[in-house]
């Protein structure tokens, strides 16, 4: 077996000074490949630097997804296509194209408990992160608590600005329970300020016709909901519960380690 080319300490030092240290791990392989394929200096540089671009893009995507609060396991690649759920695949294909974000449109994912609404909404969030969009994923109740707290610490303007201007806001489990007067006004302001300017995905167990009852004020409800749903794609998911497929299982192919695993440092914080 041929020995891989070595990298001199001087070159390592220069790469680190240029903040290209991660290249060091793959450079010997790339140098060997360049020699084997008789690549020119320009072709070799392109190969090595393309690796670094791909690494940086991947790292940036991972940071965006973590900051967004997205579950790392809820990606479209991990969606079980054999699940006994029904939905319009044309609508999902349209949403995965992200044209709705480009056009500042919304999406409503409706269906009973457990059919995978949160999973699909999260998967769309991951796709958006991969393509450079900034995303916030939040449960509706957590978002409303955050806005309530912001009134107490005088940060409401900053919080509302963040929620109003983020490229894609994903609100999970909306309209599960009645909202107070302040909460109704917060949702109204959020829907109005994002309307035509940024995209929002909402998941709910309730049909949009039932959302009005969750608001404290009828006029605010009618205005907010009307603005939102008339600018939104509808993805209705029906069928058996998807959650059983997410249940942890013990596998013979993946035995437990001999000692307990150490706590991992998490990047970002789930909202």
């Amino acid at each position: 077996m041929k020995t891989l080319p070595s990298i001199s300490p001087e070159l390592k030092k220069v790469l680190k000074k240029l903040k290209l240290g991660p290249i060091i791990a793959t450079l010997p392989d790339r140098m060997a490949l360049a020699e084997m394929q008789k690549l020119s200096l320009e072709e070799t540089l392109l190969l090595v630097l393309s690796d670094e671009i791909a690494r940086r893009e991947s790292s940036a995507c991972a940071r965006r997804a973590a900051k967004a609060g997205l579950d790392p396991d809820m990606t479209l690649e991990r969606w079980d296509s054999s699940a006994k759920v029904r939905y319009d695949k044309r609508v999902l294909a349209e949403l995965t194209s992200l044209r709705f974000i480009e056009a500042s449109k919304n999406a409503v994912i409706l269906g009973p408990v457990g059919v995978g609404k949160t999973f699909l909404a999260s998967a769309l969030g991951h796709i958006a992160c991969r393509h450079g969009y900034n995303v916030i994923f939040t449960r509706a109740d957590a978002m409303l608590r955050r806005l309530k707290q912001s009134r107490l610490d005088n940060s409401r303007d900053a919080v509302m600005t963040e929620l109003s201007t983020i490229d894609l806001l994903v609100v999970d489990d909306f309209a599960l329970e009645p909202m107070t007067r302040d909460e109704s006004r917060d949702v109204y302001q959020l829907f109005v300020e994002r309307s035509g300017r940024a995209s929002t995905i909402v998941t709910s167990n309730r049909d949009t016709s039932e959302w009005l009852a969750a608001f404290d004020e009828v006029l605010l409800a009618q205005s907010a909901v009307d603005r939102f749903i008339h600018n939104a794609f509808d993805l209705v998911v029906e069928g058996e519960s998807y959650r059983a497929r997410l249940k942890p299982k013990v596998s013979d192919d993946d035995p437990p380690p001999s000692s307990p695993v150490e706590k991992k440092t998490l990047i970002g914080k789930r909202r």
Side-chain angles (χ1 to χ4, degrees):
M1 183 176 178
K2 191 173 181 180
T3 305
L4 291 175
S6 60
I7 305 174
S8 68
E10 292 79 14
L11 179 55
K12 290 181 181 179
K13 185 177 180 180
V14 169
L15 288 172
K16 289 178 180 178
K17 194 167 185 178
L18 291 172
K19 301 188 185 303
L20 293 172
I23 286 179
I24 295 171
T26 57
L27 188 54
D29 291 305
R30 289 315 197 187
M31 290 169 64
L33 180 64
E35 182 181 351
M36 182 176 66
Q37 296 186 353
K38 295 182 170 53
L39 299 181
S40 67
L41 176 59
E42 181 179 347
E43 290 171 329
T44 304
L45 277 173
L46 179 60
L47 180 65
V48 171
L49 295 178
S50 294
D51 284 345
E52 177 61 8
I53 289 173
R55 186 198 66 79
R56 291 187 181 188
E57 288 179 346
S58 177
S59 296
C61 173
R63 287 194 298 271
R64 282 193 295 271
K67 186 178 180 181
L70 292 165
D71 187 323
D73 293 326
M74 291 188 178
T75 63
L76 204 58
E77 293 80 8
R78 297 193 180 189
W79 173 260
D80 188 346
S81 58
S82 67
K84 295 181 180 179
V85 294
R86 301 178 301 279
Y87 53 88
D88 191 330
K89 291 181 173 58
R90 296 171 304 170
V91 175
L92 182 59
E94 177 64 36
L95 294 176
T96 57
S97 76
L98 303 185
R99 289 195 299 184
F100 78 104
I101 299 180
E102 184 182 37
S104 299
K105 302 293 184 183
N106 303 316
V108 181
I109 304 180
L110 301 173
V113 173
V115 291
K117 301 184 300 297
T118 300
F119 196 116
L120 291 173
S122 298
L124 291 170
H126 278 290
I127 294 172
C129 286
R130 292 173 192 170
H131 288 80
Y133 292 101
N134 292 314
V135 179
I136 290 177
F137 178 96
T138 177
R139 289 199 325 270
D141 62 331
M143 180 183 74
L144 294 174
R145 283 198 304 271
R146 186 183 177 201
L147 284 164
K148 180 180 180 180
Q149 178 61 36
S150 72
R151 286 190 172 86
L152 302 177
D153 59 21
N154 295 318
S155 63
R156 186 179 183 279
D157 287 347
V159 172
M160 184 58 75
T161 297
E162 180 189 13
L163 293 172
S164 298
T165 58
I166 196 78
D167 296 328
L168 176 62
L169 176 64
V170 183
V171 182
D172 193 32
D173 282 340
F174 181 68
L176 279 185
E177 54 188 9
M179 291 181 282
T180 65
R181 184 183 184 88
D182 283 342
E183 289 172 342
S184 297
R185 290 182 173 182
D186 285 340
V187 171
Y188 168 78
Q189 182 179 346
L190 193 58
F191 279 8
V192 168
E193 292 193 7
R194 292 187 63 80
S195 180
R197 299 186 182 94
S199 297
T200 307
I201 296 175
V202 169
T203 77
S204 182
N205 299 332
R206 301 182 186 277
D207 187 80
T208 52
S209 62
E210 301 177 65
W211 289 4
L212 298 178
F215 285 77
D216 182 68
E217 296 185 32
V218 176
L219 290 178
L220 286 183
Q222 291 174 336
S223 178
V225 173
D226 185 73
R227 284 173 184 267
F228 185 85
I229 64 176
H230 284 92
N231 194 38
F233 289 93
D234 292 335
L235 182 63
V236 179
V237 187
E238 300 173 307
E240 298 179 5
S241 176
Y242 188 87
R243 287 181 181 163
R245 295 170 182 268
L246 303 178
K247 188 176 178 63
K249 297 179 179 65
V250 177
S251 172
D252 292 334
D253 297 328
D254 185 22
S258 56
S259 59
V261 297
E262 300 293 335
K263 178 181 178 180
K264 293 181 180 179
T265 301
L266 298 178
I267 302 173
K269 183 179 179 181
R270 183 159 185 151
R271 290 174 172 82

